[in-house]
Amino acid sequence: MVENQKFKICLTMAGAVSAGAFTAGVVDYLLETMELWEKAKQRNKALGIGHVDYDHSLPMHEVEIDVISGSSAGGITGALTMLNLVDQSYRPVNKDNPNGVNNRFYESWVNMADDQIENTFEKMLAKSDLKKLKKGDKPEALLNSDPIDAIADRALQLKEPIAYPPYIAPDLDLILTTTNLRGMNFQIDFGGFKKAGPVITSHAGFFRYKLAHEQRAAGIPAGDDLYYVLDLKNPQDMNYLKEATLSTAAFPIGLKSREVSIAQEFVNRYPKYLFGERQGVKPLVREEEVYRFNSIDGGLINNEPFAIGLKVLREKNPALDDRYAVVMIDPFPNSDHDVDEVNPRPDLITVAKGMFKSLRNQAMFNQDGILDAIEGRDHTKFLVEPVRKMKLGKVISAVKNHLASAPFSGFAGFMQRSFREHDYHLGRLNCQAFLRYYFAVPETDVQHKLGLVPHDKAMDRFAIFEQQFDINSPRFFPIIPDIRVLKARTNEVDEAMFGADAQLDFLDFPRMAESDFNKRYRTAVRRRLESVLNSIVGNFWFKALNRLFLRRRLADGLSDMMLKALRDNGQIS
């Protein structure tokens, strides 16, 4: 390994709608653990290796998060991560801070826009946005996006940013995917003819940010790099980050799209990113000082943006080899993919549904990303997904449904705070297990990948066997050691120092009373649906028909579907 080169991490966060609470919990525990380890290493360095109090059981290698990529809910969490890292007041959620004070993750994903009068979903069903429409205007979305704006206004601000901690790269990249509804046209020159070649259109896009510091000026960098340098003290730059964050999370139809503006200079640089140095590709974009487009959820095209994160990581570190890890946090890694599904009867409705599903699946089929992923045999790709277990006495068993926010495509979390709180703490718990027992390298690769040979005491404390309790199976050593552990392979933890945080436990699965659902949402769904349909059609006779027949039938059908999804997930009492 190159001397003093830190082990690099690309953190990738998939889309998840309200189940972003799980992702936020994972990242919260990850950052807390890295901070505890860093402080312990600093104490060792201050003492010196020859000091009697030097802790030889503490791994002293260096790890650095170099790239964060996110889509939709994962993009929101990525932006919050960047801000929490440079916020001196940031505090993790733990036994000493159970209410998430000064924690953007918890405030945004658990508290959301709830107040003493209404919860977030009630506000999303309110008609205040429709009342602002001028005559002839159409509604922007099925749901009211004002609560989402309020969350962003509260979370995406920072008065006095500090420098990144040592475990974060000074030139950390934040990448947020988006779907460009305007599209960008490119003309392909086939050569040999004077006629213009065919035109192709790209709708996939991304925002890429770094933070300004003494060696990096804010604004558009010189050369042809495709990123923007943010000065978080500049309100305009903070607004850029806010626009991009809301853009990546604009769930299509459900939440309103966002108009985004970028400098023409980035449009001119984009072909090189897509096609490299190849000649014969020309963007067909009208020359204008600012390029504007309507943007919706980045997850529509690229919901698990590990490939773009890895591409940037390798560009920044040409000599990286296999001394890195891509960690993907994905609340729904296997949804909507039934390999045993019988080929359906080709009727009109089935074909239409299958067409849209096929278009989206094909749009997300990233061949380069797949080829990168299957290189996972070199222990460079890792997945954190929700795992919930149920305890009956001393018996622990797996369950079918893990996330409380999962029903109706991840929107359930908006309905009740306890759903989001459960998923947040499940994220912290799953991250704890991931760091201790999965995020590791083979003992034979430790020196090459991590740059140091661990002391025997460190190996004894943190090493685990590939097969638990089988001393003849290969040993693995953690990339990020959790110092709450006293001996990993026997699950011994330091309760004296860390209390309940030393070994997190599963929360009870939250439920909602059916009567509470009916009281809060049935009428609100009916009124919202009626107003949206009236705004779309605007015809007197339709409005009358809507009030007499349509709204009740459609709204009750929708409410019944929501109730069934909650019931199937074990959340109705």
Side-chain angles (χ1 to χ4, degrees):
M1 179 173 181
V2 179
E3 188 177 0
N4 297 325
Q5 178 175 312
K6 296 182 178 182
F7 184 90
K8 300 286 187 175
I9 293 177
C10 169
L11 191 60
T12 296
M13 293 171 266
V17 196
S18 66
F22 171 83
T23 303
V26 172
V27 181
D28 189 34
Y29 189 89
L30 173 65
L31 298 185
E32 181 185 12
T33 303
M34 296 186 79
E35 180 67 15
L36 289 171
W37 179 34
E38 180 62 31
K39 288 180 177 177
K41 286 193 294 183
Q42 294 299 333
R43 286 194 296 271
N44 259 4
K45 291 175 182 178
L47 290 171
I49 197 167
H51 195 281
V52 65
D53 292 326
Y54 186 93
D55 184 2
H56 290 282
S57 74
L58 185 73
M60 295 298 290
H61 62 275
E62 301 292 334
V63 171
E64 187 175 75
I65 297 177
D66 202 4
V67 178
I68 296 175
S69 61
S71 176
S72 192
I76 294 176
T77 304
L80 298 178
T81 301
M82 172 181 274
L83 294 179
N84 279 337
L85 285 168
V86 294
D87 186 352
Q88 196 166 16
S89 66
Y90 163 68
R91 297 172 59 196
V93 175
N94 52 31
K95 65 179 179 59
D96 299 318
N97 187 30
N99 297 319
V101 176
N102 293 333
N103 186 308
R104 287 177 179 80
F105 297 136
Y106 196 85
E107 291 167 352
S108 301
W109 283 113
V110 177
N111 294 337
M112 279 196 175
D114 289 12
D115 57 37
Q116 294 180 339
I117 300 174
E118 294 179 306
N119 67 30
T120 301
F121 197 56
E122 287 174 304
K123 292 181 178 181
M124 294 172 77
L125 291 173
K127 299 188 292 181
S128 56
D129 60 326
L130 301 177
K131 293 177 181 178
K132 300 174 189 175
L133 295 177
K134 298 178 181 178
K135 188 175 181 179
D137 287 350
K138 305 298 182 186
E140 295 179 296
L142 286 178
L143 295 171
N144 189 334
S145 297
D146 290 347
I148 307 301
D149 290 339
I151 296 170
D153 288 340
R154 185 179 68 232
L156 297 176
Q157 55 178 302
L158 182 63
K159 291 182 180 179
E160 290 295 330
I162 60 174
Y164 284 130
Y167 46 86
I168 303 297
D171 63 341
L172 172 75
D173 279 276
L174 172 65
I175 304 166
L176 310 177
T177 64
T178 187
T179 300
N180 178 349
L181 292 181
R182 178 180 177 182
M184 192 173 294
N185 295 327
F186 298 92
Q187 190 169 71
I188 309 299
D189 181 8
F190 270 48
F193 295 93
K194 293 184 178 180
K195 294 182 179 180
V199 174
I200 59 174
T201 304
S202 172
H203 291 275
F206 62 89
F207 306 95
R208 179 181 170 189
Y209 297 111
K210 297 177 186 285
L211 292 189
H213 51 72
E214 292 180 357
Q215 286 78 43
R216 189 183 298 280
I220 301 174
D224 53 13
D225 290 313
L226 203 61
Y227 61 79
Y228 184 85
V229 183
L230 293 167
D231 177 3
L232 295 181
K233 296 180 181 179
N234 183 341
Q236 184 180 40
D237 279 11
M238 185 63 85
N239 192 57
Y240 290 157
L241 178 61
K242 176 184 169 183
E243 285 184 353
T245 303
L246 290 171
S247 166
T248 190
F251 192 90
I253 301 176
L255 300 174
K256 71 178 183 181
S257 65
R258 305 286 173 166
E259 184 179 84
V260 178
S261 302
I262 61 174
Q264 178 71 36
E265 178 62 28
F266 286 120
V267 176
N268 298 335
R269 298 181 186 189
Y270 194 50
K272 183 175 180 182
Y273 168 81
L274 288 179
F275 307 108
E277 299 293 344
R278 297 177 181 89
Q279 301 297 312
V281 181
K282 181 177 67 174
L284 300 178
V285 181
R286 185 177 60 193
E287 284 292 331
E288 47 192 338
E289 184 177 350
V290 175
Y291 173 75
R292 292 182 174 85
F293 63 95
N294 286 328
S295 171
I296 59 173
D297 198 324
L300 182 68
I301 292 178
N302 189 359
N303 196 54
E304 297 165 335
F306 59 89
I308 186 173
L310 183 53
K311 175 184 175 73
V312 171
L313 185 69
R314 286 175 170 164
E315 286 176 354
K316 295 173 67 177
N317 304 277
L320 193 60
D321 192 31
D322 61 352
R323 297 180 292 272
Y324 71 93
V326 176
V327 179
M328 185 166 71
I329 307 169
D330 195 344
F332 301 122
N334 301 305
S335 61
D336 197 32
H337 302 288
D338 186 355
V339 294
D340 297 322
E341 183 179 5
V342 177
N343 193 43
R345 183 182 178 88
D347 58 80
L348 177 64
I349 301 300
T350 302
V351 169
K353 288 167 62 178
M355 178 183 69
F356 286 109
K357 179 180 177 181
S358 299
L359 287 171
R360 183 172 187 271
N361 287 343
Q362 186 60 38
M364 295 173 67
F365 186 91
N366 185 320
Q367 183 170 341
D368 291 337
I370 293 169
L371 293 176
D372 282 328
I374 61 177
E375 294 173 2
R377 301 182 190 91
D378 59 6
H379 293 93
T380 58
K381 317 298 187 302
F382 298 85
L383 173 67
V384 185
E385 62 179 322
V387 176
R388 180 175 70 91
K389 296 183 179 180
M390 183 171 58
K391 287 186 177 181
L392 293 175
K394 294 185 178 180
V395 178
I396 301 177
S397 57
V399 297
K400 179 182 178 182
N401 303 314
H402 303 283
L403 292 176
S405 301
F408 38 100
S409 302
F411 272 85
F414 291 120
M415 301 179 63
Q416 188 161 294
R417 184 182 185 279
S418 65
F419 294 176
R420 308 187 298 266
E421 184 176 27
H422 170 275
D423 292 353
Y424 191 95
H425 285 286
L426 183 65
R428 283 183 57 85
L429 187 153
N430 286 173
C431 185
Q432 184 177 81
F434 171 72
L435 295 179
R436 293 178 182 181
Y437 308 115
Y438 299 97
F439 192 41
V441 296
E443 180 182 8
T444 52
D445 292 344
V446 170
Q447 184 175 9
H448 164 65
K449 291 201 172 193
L450 304 183
L452 292 174
V453 177
H455 193 280
D456 289 344
K457 290 184 177 180
M459 186 64 72
D460 182 62
R461 179 180 177 184
F462 289 105
I464 57 173
F465 294 109
E466 186 174 38
Q467 301 295 326
Q468 190 177 21
F469 306 128
D470 181 359
I471 61 174
N472 295 315
S473 65
R475 284 205 301 181
F476 283 73
F477 193 74
I479 295 170
I480 298 175
D482 186 343
I483 68 167
R484 305 172 188 85
V485 168
L486 293 176
K487 185 167 287 190
R489 65 179 178 274
T490 54
N491 299 323
E492 296 176 52
V493 296
D494 193 349
E495 291 184 355
M497 175 68 71
F498 298 101
D501 294 330
Q503 183 59 65
L504 300 177
D505 205 352
F506 294 98
L507 297 183
D508 292 335
F509 204 52
R511 288 173 170 78
M512 171 186 287
E514 184 170 347
S515 59
D516 190 38
F517 175 92
N518 291 329
K519 179 181 178 181
R520 284 181 177 272
Y521 302 125
R522 276 201 181 269
T523 300
V525 167
R526 188 180 305 150
R527 289 172 177 169
R528 175 77 190 181
L529 193 59
E530 178 187 12
S531 296
V532 168
L533 291 174
N534 287 343
S535 298
I536 292 173
V537 179
N539 178 278
F540 170 81
W541 294 108
F542 177 83
K543 289 181 179 180
L545 182 66
N546 190 17
R547 175 164 285 274
L548 291 173
F549 302 105
L550 289 181
R551 64 165 188 158
R552 180 176 293 276
R553 178 167 295 183
L554 291 173
D556 284 350
L558 182 60
S559 295
D560 289 342
M561 181 189 71
M562 294 161 66
L563 261 177
K564 182 180 184 304
L566 289 168
R567 192 175 288 112
D568 291 345
N569 210 48
Q571 290 175 251
I572 290 295
S573 57

